[in-house]
Amino acid sequence: MNLNLVNKTVLVTGGSKGIGKGIAAALAAEGASVIICGRGEEALHEAEKEIKQEGGNILAIKADLSEQEDVDHLISSIIERYETIDILINNAGVVSGFDDFETLQIEDWQKLFDVNLFGTVRVTKAVIPYMKKAGYGRIINISSESGVQPDAFMPHYNASKAALINFTKSLSKAYAKNGILVNTISPAFIMTPLLETVLKESAQKQNMTFDEAVQEFLLNHRPHIEVKRPGTVEEVASAVLYLVSDNASFINGVNLRVDGGSVASQ
Ligand SMILES: NC(=O)c1ccc[n+]([C@@H]2O[C@H](COP(=O)([O-])OP(=O)(O)OC[C@H]3O[C@@H](n4cnc5c(N)ncnc54)[C@H](OP(=O)(O)O)[C@@H]3O)[C@@H](O)[C@H]2O)c1
């Protein structure tokens, strides 16, 4: 299947680790020019090196999306080099542990929203004029199953992810006439290096094997994943490849769940 992504300019926010890194690698393997950003320089350059070694066209730019100045610098650096941004993957996001509502302070809500929602808004606001000018654009917002099926804990995270799904819908209605399609992808329990480390520690503490710790996590925290395993970064990346390709040219405003059937409703 020809995805027609060769030479497309793509920004993957939070492309230095986990799901974002997998998305960046998959897009680079399809011949896109990929820009990744994140706060930590070491992880950024490690990801850049790895993707380059695979023959990918990749550029890493340090940026904290909770800082407007960093976002301005990120977008102007990309425009200076590539002239436009065809595809934007709003992936960067933070989680802050299994906090309950009463433990969380207003500052925790503000800090998390500043990345998960406002970081996405800042980047999107800066990119839209270039997509409008080109009469073409694809935007994917990475939400979560928690955006429609929240747990009792992390209400700030869950609310930020629900907001992203709603934000997608508004933009999809506003910009389709400009050739810009906007969709959400909502993963559930994807095995990233970070989660792998957490589960390895949990296995050690509970004197379990790694597989037992994964099954314990599924049972207690993600009992609705019907395929009874975590998803992979590649499984999220392949959904992204499809949605940003010409094969999905009539798909706009959807929330595509990559969640092994976890969300209970239709
Ligand atoms: N893994 C899952 O099971 C899962 C499930 C559902 C949804 N998601 C969503 O998928 C996305 C990626 O998650 P992940 O598990 O791959 O997380 P991860 O491994 O922690 O990676 C997060 C990425 O975002 C970057 N980032 C964080 N804060 C940032 C900021 N202020 N400015 C710029 N970049 C920032 C990180 O780099 P730095 O830390 O260096 O800045 C990193 O590159 C998130 O939006 C998450 O909510 C994940």
Side-chain angles (χ1 to χ4, degrees):
M1 201 184 285
N2 179 10
L3 301 179
N4 199 18
L5 296 172
V6 177
N7 296 330
K8 290 266 176 13
T9 302
V10 188
L11 168 60
V12 183
T13 70
S16 60
K17 299 174 193 162
I19 294 174
K21 184 173 162 186
I23 293 170
L27 285 159
E30 289 297 328
S33 301
V34 181
I35 302 96
I36 53 174
C37 71
R39 294 163 303 177
E41 276 185 293
E42 202 183 321
L44 262 178
H45 291 124
E46 189 52 40
E48 184 182 45
K49 200 171 116 193
E50 272 179 42
I51 295 172
K52 238 180 218 162
Q53 273 167 357
E54 294 296 314
N57 185 352
I58 178 106
L59 172 69
I61 301 177
K62 184 176 181 297
D64 180 345
L65 304 185
S66 61
E67 300 288 341
Q68 185 62 49
E69 263 182 29
D70 280 21
V71 172
D72 293 343
H73 173 258
L74 169 71
I75 304 305
S76 62
S77 308
I78 298 170
I79 296 301
E80 208 171 284
R81 182 156 172 172
Y82 296 100
E83 291 179 8
T84 195
I85 296 173
D86 301 301
I87 299 170
L88 168 62
I89 315 294
N90 284 312
N91 161 80
V94 283
V95 195
S96 70
F98 289 78
D99 302 315
D100 62 36
F101 180 64
E102 286 174 68
T103 311
L104 289 165
Q105 302 301 308
I106 288 295
E107 294 71 33
D108 298 319
W109 282 77
Q110 285 169 332
K111 223 170 132 189
L112 184 134
F113 264 71
D114 217 3
V115 182
N116 290 12
L117 181 62
F118 299 132
T120 295
V121 172
R122 280 185 197 99
V123 175
T124 307
K125 212 168 163 47
V127 169
I128 284 279
Y130 297 101
M131 289 185 170
K132 274 177 81 174
K133 197 170 153 202
Y136 176 91
R138 297 286 180 270
I139 301 176
I140 305 288
N141 294 321
I142 304 293
S143 177
S144 164
E145 64 162 336
S146 308
V148 291
Q149 182 167 271
D151 295 304
F153 48 84
M154 298 199 300
H156 58 338
Y157 177 79
N158 305 335
S160 75
K161 292 298 180 179
L164 278 182
I165 297 168
N166 195 280
F167 175 59
T168 293
K169 200 70 192 175
S170 293
L171 293 195
S172 72
K173 290 190 173 285
Y175 295 110
K177 62 179 181 297
N178 301 101
I180 304 169
L181 304 181
V182 190
N183 292 293
T184 300
I185 288 181
S186 290
F189 189 17
I190 303 301
M191 189 60 85
T192 60
L194 182 70
L195 272 175
E196 205 174 313
T197 307
V198 170
L199 287 165
K200 272 182 186 154
E201 282 167 9
S202 160
Q204 218 167 18
K205 266 189 211 149
Q206 300 182 82
N207 206 14
M208 287 174 170
T209 64
F210 178 72
D211 286 345
E212 284 166 347
V214 170
Q215 286 310 315
E216 192 259 350
F217 185 88
L218 279 167
L219 193 68
N220 292 318
H221 299 292
R222 288 290 173 270
H224 306 296
I225 297 185
E226 303 301 346
V227 300
K228 302 298 173 206
R229 64 168 177 84
T232 65
V233 163
E234 291 74 21
E235 285 170 321
V236 181
S238 70
V240 171
L241 287 186
Y242 170 63
L243 276 187
V244 300
S245 77
D246 289 350
N247 298 308
S249 50
F250 200 53
I251 300 181
N252 188 33
V254 303
N255 176 16
L256 176 58
R257 295 169 187 149
V258 183
D259 69 357
S262 185
V263 171
S265 65
Q266 286 181 341

